[in-house]
Amino acid sequence: MFACGPKPMLRVLKQYAEENDLELWVSMEERMACGIGACLGCVCKTTGEDGHSHVKNARVCKDGPVFPAGEVDLT
């Protein structure tokens, strides 16, 4: 499944996908100031740690905007 929209809706879809063993990809909607990842204005929380900066964040403009639902923290 593919989805975009507000985080509460994506949370529900992620739960549904997990319960029904479905693959879900989400398109994150964040404000993007520079569009190249330099300003960090579009950062979203992730479940995994970034290998370079060792934080649990991803830049939506550079690393996304589409992510596997399991890689994004939608809380």
Side-chain angles (χ1 to χ4, degrees), residues 32-67:
M32 297 180 202
C34 71
I36 59 171
C39 73
L40 302 176
C42 63
V43 170
C44 69
K45 294 180 185 178
T46 60
T47 56
E49 189 175 277
D50 177 83
H52 176 70
S53 61
H54 306 291
V55 294
K56 292 186 176 185
N57 291 327
R59 298 166 294 179
V60 173
C61 70
K62 184 145 176 96
D63 303 323
V66 179
F67 298 92

Side-chain angles (χ1 to χ4, degrees), residues 4-25:
C4 66
K7 284 186 183 179
M9 183 192 79
L10 295 178
R11 271 195 298 273
V12 171
L13 286 173
K14 183 177 179 179
Q15 181 181 358
Y16 177 82
E18 289 170 352
E19 290 171 355
N20 293 285
D21 197 30
L22 299 170
E23 185 177 4
L24 174 64
W25 289 74

